[in-house]
Each structure stands twice: as structure tokens, then as C-alpha cells.
Amino acid sequence: AIYKSITGKKVLIVGSSDLSHFHTYEKAVKLDSVVLDHIKGMDVEGLLKDMERGACEACGGGAIAVAMIIAKRLGATGAKVLKYANSGDVTGDKSGVVGYASAVFYIGSARGKREAGVDMGLTETEKDNLLEIARSTIECRLAGKNPPEFQIESTILKEKRGAFVTLQKHGQLRGCIGFIEAKNPLHMTISEMALSAAFNDPRFPPVDREELKDLSIEISALSPLREIKDISEIEVGVHGIYIVKGFYSGLLLPQVATRYEWDRLTFLEETCHKAGLPSNAWADKDTRIYIFSADIFGESE
């Protein structure tokens, strides 16, 4: 009846609910993640079944389910969790917390067009966690606070990986810093690189509070570097390039070549320019060329 009454009209459907109630912080996060996974998968049946058997909690679970059903019937193709937190994140008392989240259902892509990169095993939840870590870390620095203690349970987020954090403002680059090598766990690398991109990129002034709302964050989680001898191994849109010659070195991420519609040769020449080398230096015998892949994802602008 609700669906029929709104068809053809411009309306906002809101399903309102708290999540878990009065569990320890760790248990609440575990219970709430079940609800969030069902929301992201638009899995109405799975949500209702897990609520019934106690695998998750939501006092307004029925409202969430109805909102998902209506969204799907109106053509929604996906869902995105915008924010998750519980009362322990606000009060500091983690002995008995209440969970909260906000999410949207959308038609099309919430992340926009994927410009380059490969799937490296990160789930949508893990990607969202990394984006939240990056933004929260920047927000805390601007507020003069220490970053929150993120509860990391994912094995892949604890793996040592290289990564870049890129900031854009109204579609223009606003900062980009990263580690090529896997020195720290991925979640720590993202936190550190987010701060560096926001406050230590020598090409830009530090980010201020007023522009934070206008920034979008993109993360590139890197594979290990692999040295090549034949440039035919470079696949534009899949690989990034790292060139080393003597004391000079330069790196360009996979998405850069795609955005500017470069071919392989132009990509090599531009990477040489980034390193401060002549454009044809990639062909010198003492130049070392490395390639890598990246899982690239970000906030919608």
C-alpha cells in the first residue's frame, strides 16, 4: 500500500531505528555489523532472520526492512552506510552502549565511476572503515583532539600494505601523500597518510575547518612493487608506475593515466617528469621501472 501510494511522487522514505542496546562496545560493534552488512546487501530476508535468531538487534528492524523493500521496488540498485557509531564513541563509557547508523539507498553508483585499479580483496565494509578512519583522523586534528581508537577486527586491515590518500576539493586535487612500501598495517597507514595529505603536502596549504566539508577522500591500497624489464607489461588502467634512476624517483597512481587518457608511452614520460628526469629517461639502461596495482575507492562528491 505504501509503495502504490508513492509511485510517481517525489517523497522521502525514512526507516528509523536504533541498533544494539546496552552491550559492551566490542559486542555492540559485532552485532551492529550484521545489520549493516544486510543493509549494504539490501538483504531484507537475511536481516529479519538474523534479528529473529538474535544474531543482531534493531528495535525498528521492521522499519528498516520496509524501507529496503520500497527502495528496491522504486529501482534502487545499492546501499551505502554513511556513518556508524555508538554511544561509547561519544561518552567514552564503553561498558554498555547503544548503536546508531545512517544509510542511503541509491540508483546507480554511490562511489561514481571506477576509473582504474583492481579488486584486492577489500570488502565494502572494510573500504568504508578506511574512509571513516581517514576523515575522522583529519577531523580530530582540526579539532585539536587525538584520533579515536578504532576497533579493528578485519585481518586484511591489519596487514602491512602501502597506500595513498588523495584529497579533492570540488574535483580538484587538494593533497596526495602515500607510502609505497608496506611498513605498517593498512589502517595505520591510512590514518597517517590522511594527516600528511591534509597538512603536509608541500604543494598546498594545510586544510582548514571551513573547507573540510568540501573535501572528498580517495584511497589507493597498493599491491607490492614488481620490477619489469619489458614495458609491454604495463597495463594502463591497471598498473601504476614507479621509476628510479640514481637519486631520482617518481610515482604515478593507476588512476592518473586513466583520468588524462594517456597511452603507455605518455604514462612513462609523465612518470619521468614526476621524478625530475627527461621524458625519455625510462629507456636508459640504469633506469629501474616498477609496476603495482591498486584498489581505488572513495567518497562520492
Side-chain angles (χ1 to χ4, degrees), residues 38-111:
H38 286 311
I39 290 174
K40 291 173 185 176
M42 300 182 73
D43 182 5
V44 177
E45 185 177 351
L47 172 64
L48 295 176
K49 284 184 177 180
D50 276 343
M51 287 178 55
E52 184 176 358
R53 67 187 184 90
C56 61
E57 297 177 3
C59 59
I64 297 174
V66 170
M68 281 198 284
I69 292 170
I70 295 173
K72 291 168 75 171
R73 290 189 178 182
L74 290 174
T77 56
K80 178 177 176 60
V81 174
L82 303 177
K83 178 75 174 181
Y84 168 74
N86 62 50
S87 56
D89 295 310
V90 178
T91 66
D93 180 359
K94 299 185 177 183
S95 61
V97 304
V98 178
Y100 303 91
S102 60
V104 294
F105 302 103
Y106 57 86
I107 298 173
S109 172
R111 295 189 186 278

Side-chain angles (χ1 to χ4, degrees), residues 118-134:
V118 296
D119 183 354
M120 294 176 60
L122 289 165
T123 67
E124 290 300 309
T125 298
E126 289 164 338
K127 292 176 183 179
D128 288 339
N129 288 344
L130 292 175
L131 289 166
E132 175 62 21
I133 287 171

